[in-house]
């Protein structure tokens, strides 16, 4: 929804893909992986790794190939939205969001708390 509100066209892949969303941005079509967070004593954390396809999805997390994605779009529990380039977190399977505040693109709070018409 955030991408649409920003004037970007979006598309969901018809077949399974590494990305969750295709977004038409001014500099071309970008592949976006969408993630949510959990809270720990250190703050909002997000698992940005993936599990190879296996029975019961029990394999270890492995990092995404930064060439297969362009961005991670992350929504934390405070409704803060992040758009983090995949190259910035390459090789990681988890991050602590307080270290990525420069990638904050807004808050969904205003959308979620909008008065009913």
């Amino acid at each position: 929804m955030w991408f649409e509100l920003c004037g970007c066209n979006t598309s969901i892949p018809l077949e399974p893909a590494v990305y969750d969303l295709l977004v038409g941005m001014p500099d071309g079509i970008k592949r976006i992986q969408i993630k949510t967070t959990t809270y720990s004593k250190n703050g909002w954390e997000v698992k940005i790794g993936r599990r190879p396809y296996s029975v019961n999805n029990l394999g270890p997390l492995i990092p995404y190939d930064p060439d297969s994605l362009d961005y991670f779009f992350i929504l934390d529990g405070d409704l803060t939205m992040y758009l983090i380039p995949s190259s910035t977190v390459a090789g990681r399977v988890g991050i602590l969001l307080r270290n990525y505040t420069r990638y904050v693109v807004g808050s969904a709070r205003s959308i979620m708390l909008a008065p009913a018409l």
Side-chain angles (χ1 to χ4, degrees):
M1 180 63 139
W2 178 79
F3 291 105
E4 291 284 337
L5 290 172
C6 290
C8 298
N9 292 323
T10 60
S11 177
I12 297 171
L14 295 176
E15 296 183 9
V18 174
Y19 52 86
D20 293 320
L21 197 61
L22 290 171
V23 177
M25 295 183 166
D27 59 339
I29 296 174
K30 303 300 179 187
R31 299 158 298 174
I32 312 293
Q33 176 61 230
I34 299 169
K35 297 292 185 184
T36 57
T37 60
T38 58
Y39 193 78
S40 74
K41 64 181 178 177
N42 297 317
W44 293 110
E45 297 179 347
V46 60
K47 291 185 178 176
I48 56 167
R50 65 181 186 84
R51 294 190 197 284
Y53 297 107
S54 63
V55 176
N56 296 326
N57 222 8
L58 296 175
L61 283 177
I62 60 171
Y64 283 94
D65 177 352
D67 292 331
S68 66
L69 295 175
D70 298 298
Y71 291 97
F72 287 96
F73 182 83
I74 301 167
L75 179 67
D76 72 16
D78 292 325
L79 303 180
T80 303
M81 298 177 292
Y82 299 76
L83 189 60
I84 302 175
S86 62
S87 59
T88 300
V89 293
R92 294 179 179 87
V93 295
I95 59 173
L96 190 58
L97 284 177
R98 70 176 185 207
N99 297 323
Y100 296 88
T101 57
R102 72 178 181 198
Y103 297 104
V104 169
V105 292
S107 174
R109 186 173 299 259
S110 60
I111 297 168
M112 302 295 285
L113 301 177
L117 299 177

